[in-house]
Amino acid sequence: SAGVSACLADVAIFPLGTAKVRLQIQGECPISSPIRYKGVLGTITTLAKTEGPMKFYSGLPAGIQRQISSASLRIGLYDTVQEYFTEGKDAPASLGNRICAGLTTGGVAVFIGQPTEVVKVRLQAQSHLHGPKPRYTGTYNAYRIIATTETLRGLWKGTTPNLVRSIIINCTELVTYDVMKDTFVKNNILADDVPCHLLSALVAGFCATLMSSPSDVVKTRYINSPPGHYASIPKCAMAMLT
Protein backbone atom coordinates (compact mmCIF):
# COMPACT_ATOMS: atom_id res chain seq x y z
CA SER A 1 0.00 0.00 0.00
CA ALA A 2 2.83 2.39 0.85
CA GLY A 3 4.63 1.68 -2.42
CA VAL A 4 1.53 2.09 -4.59
CA SER A 5 0.52 5.29 -2.80
CA ALA A 6 4.02 6.74 -3.19
CA CYS A 7 4.08 5.91 -6.91
CA LEU A 8 0.71 7.59 -7.50
CA ALA A 9 1.85 10.64 -5.54
CA ASP A 10 5.09 10.81 -7.53
CA VAL A 11 3.24 10.75 -10.85
CA ALA A 12 0.95 13.56 -9.67
CA ILE A 13 3.67 15.89 -8.39
CA PHE A 14 6.60 14.97 -10.64
CA PRO A 15 6.47 18.32 -12.54
CA LEU A 16 6.92 20.10 -9.21
CA GLY A 17 9.90 17.85 -8.47
CA THR A 18 11.48 18.75 -11.80
CA ALA A 19 10.94 22.44 -11.10
CA LYS A 20 12.49 21.99 -7.65
CA VAL A 21 15.62 20.37 -9.10
CA ARG A 22 16.03 23.13 -11.70
CA LEU A 23 15.74 25.80 -9.02
CA GLN A 24 18.20 23.98 -6.75
CA ILE A 25 20.93 23.74 -9.39
CA GLN A 26 20.39 27.26 -10.71
CA GLY A 27 23.41 29.47 -10.14
CA GLU A 28 25.83 26.55 -10.17
CA CYS A 29 27.05 27.36 -13.69
CA PRO A 30 25.65 30.84 -14.39
CA ILE A 31 27.79 31.41 -17.50
CA SER A 32 26.65 28.30 -19.38
CA SER A 33 22.98 28.58 -18.40
CA PRO A 34 21.14 31.30 -20.36
CA ILE A 35 17.75 30.40 -18.91
CA ARG A 36 16.89 31.89 -15.51
CA TYR A 37 14.06 30.56 -13.40
CA LYS A 38 11.99 32.69 -11.02
CA GLY A 39 9.82 30.89 -8.50
CA VAL A 40 7.94 27.62 -8.89
CA LEU A 41 5.28 28.86 -11.31
CA GLY A 42 7.87 30.80 -13.30
CA THR A 43 10.04 27.71 -13.58
CA ILE A 44 7.13 25.56 -14.74
CA THR A 45 6.11 28.17 -17.33
CA THR A 46 9.68 28.61 -18.61
CA LEU A 47 10.25 24.86 -18.86
CA ALA A 48 7.01 24.37 -20.78
CA LYS A 49 7.90 27.13 -23.25
CA THR A 50 11.56 26.26 -23.80
CA GLU A 51 11.68 22.46 -23.53
CA GLY A 52 8.08 21.31 -23.84
CA PRO A 53 5.58 19.86 -21.35
CA MET A 54 7.06 16.35 -21.60
CA LYS A 55 10.26 17.62 -19.96
CA PHE A 56 8.38 17.74 -16.67
CA TYR A 57 8.35 13.93 -16.66
CA SER A 58 11.98 13.36 -17.59
CA GLY A 59 13.24 10.74 -15.16
CA LEU A 60 9.77 9.51 -14.19
CA PRO A 61 10.68 5.79 -14.60
CA ALA A 62 13.57 6.28 -12.16
CA GLY A 63 11.19 8.14 -9.85
CA ILE A 64 8.76 5.23 -9.87
CA GLN A 65 11.63 2.81 -9.25
CA ARG A 66 12.73 5.02 -6.36
CA GLN A 67 9.30 4.91 -4.75
CA ILE A 68 9.00 1.14 -5.20
CA SER A 69 12.44 0.44 -3.73
CA SER A 70 12.58 3.22 -1.15
CA ALA A 71 9.23 4.65 -0.07
CA SER A 72 7.61 1.23 0.25
CA LEU A 73 10.25 0.34 2.86
CA ARG A 74 10.43 3.77 4.49
CA ILE A 75 6.70 4.02 5.10
CA GLY A 76 5.60 0.40 4.95
CA LEU A 77 8.03 -0.85 7.62
CA TYR A 78 7.55 2.10 9.99
CA ASP A 79 4.77 0.54 12.08
CA THR A 80 6.53 -2.82 12.21
CA VAL A 81 9.84 -1.31 13.35
CA GLN A 82 8.02 0.90 15.84
CA GLU A 83 6.39 -2.21 17.36
CA TYR A 84 9.84 -3.83 17.57
CA PHE A 85 11.21 -0.94 19.61
CA THR A 86 8.18 -1.02 21.94
CA GLU A 87 8.00 -4.80 22.28
CA GLY A 88 7.08 -5.92 25.78
CA LYS A 89 5.74 -2.52 26.82
CA ASP A 90 2.10 -1.96 27.58
CA ALA A 91 2.23 1.81 27.00
CA PRO A 92 1.90 3.29 23.50
CA ALA A 93 5.07 3.98 21.54
CA SER A 94 7.04 6.89 22.98
CA LEU A 95 8.42 9.77 20.94
CA GLY A 96 11.90 8.24 21.23
CA ASN A 97 10.70 4.91 19.86
CA ARG A 98 9.01 6.65 16.97
CA ILE A 99 12.18 8.57 16.16
CA CYS A 100 14.24 5.37 16.28
CA ALA A 101 11.79 3.69 13.93
CA GLY A 102 11.99 6.66 11.55
CA LEU A 103 15.80 6.62 11.62
CA THR A 104 15.93 2.89 10.91
CA THR A 105 13.47 2.77 8.02
CA GLY A 106 14.82 6.00 6.51
CA GLY A 107 18.40 4.74 6.53
CA VAL A 108 17.51 1.39 4.97
CA ALA A 109 15.42 3.08 2.27
CA VAL A 110 18.24 5.43 1.24
CA PHE A 111 20.88 2.73 0.82
CA ILE A 112 18.57 0.59 -1.29
CA GLY A 113 17.08 3.38 -3.40
CA GLN A 114 20.11 5.68 -3.91
CA PRO A 115 20.89 4.59 -7.53
CA THR A 116 17.36 5.49 -8.59
CA GLU A 117 17.70 8.87 -6.86
CA VAL A 118 20.95 9.63 -8.73
CA VAL A 119 19.43 8.81 -12.13
CA LYS A 120 16.20 10.68 -11.41
CA VAL A 121 17.95 13.89 -10.36
CA ARG A 122 20.35 13.87 -13.32
CA LEU A 123 17.57 13.33 -15.85
CA GLN A 124 15.49 16.10 -14.30
CA ALA A 125 18.47 18.46 -14.29
CA GLN A 126 19.81 17.89 -17.81
CA SER A 127 18.74 20.23 -20.59
CA HIS A 128 19.55 20.31 -24.29
CA LEU A 129 19.53 24.10 -24.03
CA HIS A 130 22.63 24.24 -21.84
CA GLY A 131 24.99 22.06 -23.84
CA PRO A 132 25.59 20.45 -27.23
CA LYS A 133 24.32 17.06 -26.17
CA PRO A 134 22.47 15.66 -23.13
CA ARG A 135 24.47 13.32 -20.94
CA TYR A 136 21.81 10.58 -21.05
CA THR A 137 19.14 9.52 -23.53
CA GLY A 138 16.96 7.70 -21.01
CA THR A 139 16.69 6.00 -17.65
CA TYR A 140 18.53 2.76 -18.42
CA ASN A 141 21.08 4.57 -20.54
CA ALA A 142 21.82 6.72 -17.47
CA TYR A 143 22.30 3.65 -15.27
CA ARG A 144 24.70 2.14 -17.80
CA ILE A 145 26.76 5.28 -18.41
CA ILE A 146 27.09 6.12 -14.72
CA ALA A 147 28.12 2.56 -13.86
CA THR A 148 30.70 2.37 -16.67
CA THR A 149 32.19 5.88 -16.44
CA GLU A 150 31.98 6.48 -12.68
CA THR A 151 32.02 2.83 -11.50
CA LEU A 152 29.25 1.40 -9.36
CA ARG A 153 30.15 3.90 -6.64
CA GLY A 154 28.78 6.60 -8.91
CA LEU A 155 25.29 5.14 -8.51
CA TRP A 156 25.58 5.69 -4.76
CA LYS A 157 26.96 9.22 -5.12
CA GLY A 158 25.50 11.63 -2.58
CA THR A 159 24.36 8.91 -0.22
CA THR A 160 25.46 10.89 2.86
CA PRO A 161 23.45 14.08 2.20
CA ASN A 162 20.52 11.97 1.00
CA LEU A 163 20.75 9.93 4.19
CA VAL A 164 20.70 13.12 6.27
CA ARG A 165 17.75 14.39 4.23
CA SER A 166 15.87 11.11 4.53
CA ILE A 167 16.46 10.88 8.27
CA ILE A 168 15.19 14.42 8.77
CA ILE A 169 12.16 13.80 6.57
CA ASN A 170 11.34 10.41 8.03
CA CYS A 171 11.65 11.49 11.64
CA THR A 172 9.90 14.81 11.15
CA GLU A 173 7.20 13.55 8.80
CA LEU A 174 6.20 10.29 10.43
CA VAL A 175 6.64 11.46 14.01
CA THR A 176 4.80 14.75 13.39
CA TYR A 177 2.02 12.84 11.65
CA ASP A 178 1.65 10.49 14.62
CA VAL A 179 1.75 13.31 17.17
CA MET A 180 -0.73 15.52 15.30
CA LYS A 181 -3.16 12.67 14.71
CA ASP A 182 -3.03 11.62 18.38
CA THR A 183 -3.52 15.24 19.45
CA PHE A 184 -6.57 15.72 17.22
CA VAL A 185 -8.18 12.46 18.32
CA LYS A 186 -7.43 12.68 22.07
CA ASN A 187 -8.67 16.27 22.31
CA ASN A 188 -11.83 15.43 20.32
CA ILE A 189 -10.92 17.95 17.63
CA LEU A 190 -11.32 15.42 14.83
CA ALA A 191 -12.35 11.78 14.63
CA ASP A 192 -9.79 9.20 13.51
CA ASP A 193 -10.83 9.27 9.86
CA VAL A 194 -9.84 10.77 6.50
CA PRO A 195 -10.04 14.53 7.39
CA CYS A 196 -7.87 13.91 10.45
CA HIS A 197 -5.35 11.93 8.43
CA LEU A 198 -5.22 14.57 5.67
CA LEU A 199 -4.71 17.48 8.06
CA SER A 200 -2.06 15.56 10.00
CA ALA A 201 -0.26 14.72 6.77
CA LEU A 202 -0.43 18.36 5.63
CA VAL A 203 1.22 19.59 8.84
CA ALA A 204 3.78 16.77 8.75
CA GLY A 205 4.69 17.42 5.11
CA PHE A 206 5.17 21.14 5.72
CA CYS A 207 7.42 20.54 8.73
CA ALA A 208 9.45 17.87 6.93
CA THR A 209 10.01 20.05 3.87
CA LEU A 210 11.05 23.04 5.96
CA MET A 211 13.55 21.02 7.99
CA SER A 212 15.06 19.02 5.11
CA SER A 213 15.39 21.71 2.44
CA PRO A 214 19.09 22.64 3.06
CA SER A 215 20.28 19.04 2.90
CA ASP A 216 18.05 18.46 -0.14
CA VAL A 217 19.72 21.29 -2.08
CA VAL A 218 23.21 20.00 -1.22
CA LYS A 219 22.17 16.47 -2.20
CA THR A 220 20.83 17.60 -5.58
CA ARG A 221 23.88 19.67 -6.50
CA TYR A 222 26.34 17.01 -5.38
CA ILE A 223 24.53 14.19 -7.20
CA ASN A 224 24.21 16.22 -10.40
CA SER A 225 27.85 17.40 -10.41
CA PRO A 226 30.37 15.76 -12.78
CA PRO A 227 33.16 13.68 -11.20
CA GLY A 228 35.70 15.85 -9.41
CA HIS A 229 33.61 19.04 -9.51
CA TYR A 230 33.27 19.02 -5.71
CA ALA A 231 36.07 17.50 -3.65
CA SER A 232 33.66 16.54 -0.88
CA ILE A 233 30.13 17.09 0.37
CA PRO A 234 31.16 19.75 2.95
CA LYS A 235 32.99 21.66 0.18
CA CYS A 236 29.85 21.49 -1.94
CA ALA A 237 27.88 23.05 0.92
CA MET A 238 30.56 25.68 1.51
CA ALA A 239 30.65 26.58 -2.19
CA MET A 240 26.93 27.31 -2.02
CA LEU A 241 27.33 29.44 1.11
CA THR A 242 30.15 31.50 -0.39
Side-chain angles (χ1 to χ4, degrees):
S1 299
V4 171
S5 299
C7 288
L8 292 175
D10 210 35
V11 171
I13 66 169
F14 206 80
L16 291 175
T18 302
K20 173 180 73 76
V21 168
R22 290 298 182 91
L23 285 169
Q24 288 176 330
I25 64 173
Q26 182 166 252
E28 194 171 26
C29 300
I31 297 177
S32 62
S33 300
I35 304 297
R36 303 297 295 175
Y37 305 113
K38 296 181 179 179
V40 177
L41 293 179
T43 303
I44 291 174
T45 302
T46 302
L47 271 174
K49 289 180 178 179
T50 58
E51 300 183 53
M54 291 305 297
K55 185 60 185 178
F56 291 123
Y57 290 93
S58 180
L60 179 61
I64 297 297
Q65 293 163 6
R66 171 177 171 267
Q67 299 296 0
I68 293 172
S69 63
S70 178
S72 58
L73 297 175
R74 181 176 68 87
I75 302 172
L77 290 180
Y78 176 72
D79 286 339
T80 303
V81 175
Q82 181 179 282
E83 291 172 3
Y84 171 79
F85 283 114
T86 58
E87 188 176 3
K89 301 177 182 178
D90 296 330
S94 64
L95 181 61
N97 289 334
R98 291 172 179 175
I99 291 176
C100 287
L103 288 171
T104 303
T105 58
V108 170
V110 165
F111 282 114
I112 292 177
Q114 185 63 19
T116 62
E117 177 75 14
V118 171
V119 171
K120 180 183 77 74
V121 167
R122 291 193 180 185
L123 288 173
Q124 287 177 315
Q126 78 172 4
S127 171
H128 65 276
L129 300 177
H130 302 162
K133 183 180 178 181
R135 285 194 284 178
Y136 315 111
T137 58
T139 302
Y140 297 102
N141 176 257
Y143 282 120
R144 182 180 61 80
I145 291 178
I146 294 171
T148 54
T149 61
E150 302 177 39
T151 72
L152 287 177
R153 291 182 60 185
L155 290 171
W156 272 266
K157 184 176 183 178
T159 299
T160 300
N162 197 25
L163 181 61
V164 173
R165 169 187 171 273
S166 181
I167 287 173
I168 293 173
I169 287 179
N170 225 34
C171 290
T172 306
E173 190 176 60
L174 296 176
V175 172
T176 302
Y177 175 82
D178 271 354
V179 171
M180 292 303 301
K181 187 176 72 170
D182 289 347
T183 300
F184 290 142
V185 173
K186 289 180 180 177
N187 291 281
N188 296 318
I189 299 174
L190 291 170
D192 189 2
D193 53 16
V194 174
C196 176
H197 300 168
L198 288 176
L199 185 57
S200 300
L202 180 64
V203 175
F206 174 79
C207 293
T209 301
L210 189 66
M211 295 294 291
S212 66
S213 186
S215 59
D216 191 40
V217 177
V218 173
K219 176 217 66 170
T220 299
R221 288 205 176 185
Y222 189 74
I223 286 175
N224 187 58
S225 65
H229 186 73
Y230 296 114
S232 64
I233 295 167
K235 289 186 177 181
C236 175
M238 290 303 299
M240 293 175 59
L241 289 173
T242 56

